[in-house]
Amino acid sequence: MIIIDGPAELSGELTVQGAKNSTLPLLAAALLCKGQTVLHNCPDLSDVDTALRILEHAGCRCKREGHDLIVDSAVTQCEIPEELMRSMRSSIVFLGAMISRCGSARLCAPGGCELGPRPIDLHLSSLRRLGVDIEETGGWLNCSAPHGVEGAYVSLAFPSVGATENLILAAVCGKGTTIIANAAREPEISDLCEYLNRCGARVYGAGESCVIIDGVKELFGCEHRVMPDRIAAVTYMAAAAVTGGNVTLRDVDNTHILPMLGPFEESGCEVRQLGGCLNIMAPRRLNPVRHIRTMPYPGFPTDAQPAIMSMAAVGRGTSMFVENIFENRYRHAEGLGRMGAKIKVEGKVAVVEGVERLTGAAVESADLRGGAALVVAGLSAQGRTQVSGTQFIRRGYEDLAKHLADLGARVREEEA
């Protein structure tokens, strides 16, 4: 568990970790590339460890040196064990890469945080458009491309990040041209395509709603630096905000933060962006954030919603949240309520009446981002907060307690 003795005013500087949501598809892409791939700025997370175990099971040789990951791609089998698939939701991104490299794949449905239904039907129907045969039997997916992956026009019903990544990974070494309409536009998609193009791929339009892939015969590994984690950055910004702090974040891509700046400016924080740095100075008491509506990029990301709700919980007035991505994304609201927050949830809508101060309590994280939000709330609470279920937090945050302690928080992590 993570134990916080609050309140504490955060100050100082912190270097933001590499992006979890970029590292995982990049590791899947390394499966496609002959020779060696070196990924710099990779965070030390349990989800990354799971991805490395998937690669090693497939036959690759993987080594970590600090924040560098070295992958020597050599595929000897194209089946992913059930325990690895069920360890994280992003494991499905290996499907497209494995089909492209092996011509077949066998795996089960992914696991991870219980955020409500996140069906993989869109992944499967899209891959079928590329000539992939998929049979679902006994909870397993038996996939094959007997004639190779064939270029096609695919229009996604929803701009799913995972489906977009799977299509790109499957098509990049396929035959002909693939066009993805209504593609996801997240920065992590652009990071993946930048790496693939360095390896010899021909992917155009990354970051736009239409992505075009001209298939190539083969790819070769290269060196690539993983983009900064925009969700981790916003989490630390929220921690500074609820404590009236003054924090500078280094290694930030400010263009990625722009869609999330609104709530901080509304709440009265002063945010200054200089090159790869971001400074946030918070007032003693936050204003409400008014209205947050989660949407696909470049809208407000669902992953940032829980941390912003912790800010709203100690704001001066009423804030409203509308969650359009995951139906179970408000599970942290119960923990915030135990700490004294006034939150009413009705379906997709949560209304938060800010209180002057939260009170420390024993709470449990039910998912990655919700757990981090409870830690953020504990920084502003009077007394001791104990956040259990930190295995979820370790999936996406490297040394969260240590980094907060470096900024002046009285926080530590202990084995329960």
Side-chain angles (χ1 to χ4, degrees), residues 39-251:
L39 296 178
H40 303 289
N41 198 35
C42 293
D44 187 4
L45 309 171
S46 59
D47 269 11
V48 174
D49 290 340
T50 299
L52 292 175
R53 290 169 60 198
I54 290 174
L55 287 175
E56 289 171 342
H57 183 83
C60 299
R61 294 187 301 275
C62 305
K63 182 170 65 172
R64 177 184 281 278
E65 294 180 355
H67 287 104
D68 296 340
L69 292 179
I70 303 164
V71 180
D72 286 305
S73 180
V75 180
T76 58
Q77 64 171 311
C78 296
E79 178 178 318
I80 302 177
E82 182 176 6
E83 65 270 18
L84 294 179
M85 283 298 299
R86 297 201 182 281
S87 294
M88 65 175 183
R89 301 193 80 149
S90 299
S91 57
I92 192 64
V93 78
F94 282 87
L95 175 57
M98 201 161 273
I99 289 171
S100 181
R101 180 70 187 262
C102 306
S104 65
R106 186 172 188 269
L107 42 80
C108 65
C113 293
E114 295 298 327
L115 300 175
R118 181 152 68 171
I120 61 172
D121 298 4
L122 188 58
H123 298 246
L124 305 185
S125 62
S126 300
L127 289 171
R128 286 186 173 112
R129 293 276 297 163
L130 301 185
V132 180
D133 294 334
I134 303 174
E135 294 183 2
E136 302 178 57
T137 56
W140 285 84
L141 303 174
N142 297 301
C143 312
S144 63
H147 305 294
V149 175
E150 300 170 352
Y153 175 84
V154 183
S155 180
L156 296 177
F158 177 83
S160 161
V161 174
T164 301
E165 290 168 344
N166 258 327
L167 281 169
I168 292 171
L169 292 170
V172 75
C173 289
K175 303 172 185 175
T177 299
T178 296
I179 300 174
I180 308 172
N182 197 29
R185 300 171 59 188
E186 273 74 2
E188 293 80 6
I189 299 286
S190 299
D191 204 29
L192 171 64
C193 294
E194 180 183 338
Y195 163 77
L196 288 170
N197 286 340
R198 284 182 178 177
C199 296
R202 296 175 181 170
V203 184
Y204 312 97
E208 303 296 333
S209 58
C210 182
V211 177
I212 300 171
I213 305 110
D214 288 330
V216 298
K217 186 176 180 180
E218 56 189 358
L219 299 175
F220 297 91
C222 71
E223 290 194 40
H224 180 78
R225 182 174 176 82
V226 177
M227 61 173 271
D229 195 314
R230 59 197 174 102
I231 305 302
V234 167
T235 303
Y236 290 115
M237 290 173 67
V242 299
T243 64
N246 181 349
V247 171
T248 297
L249 299 178
R250 298 192 177 278
D251 200 6

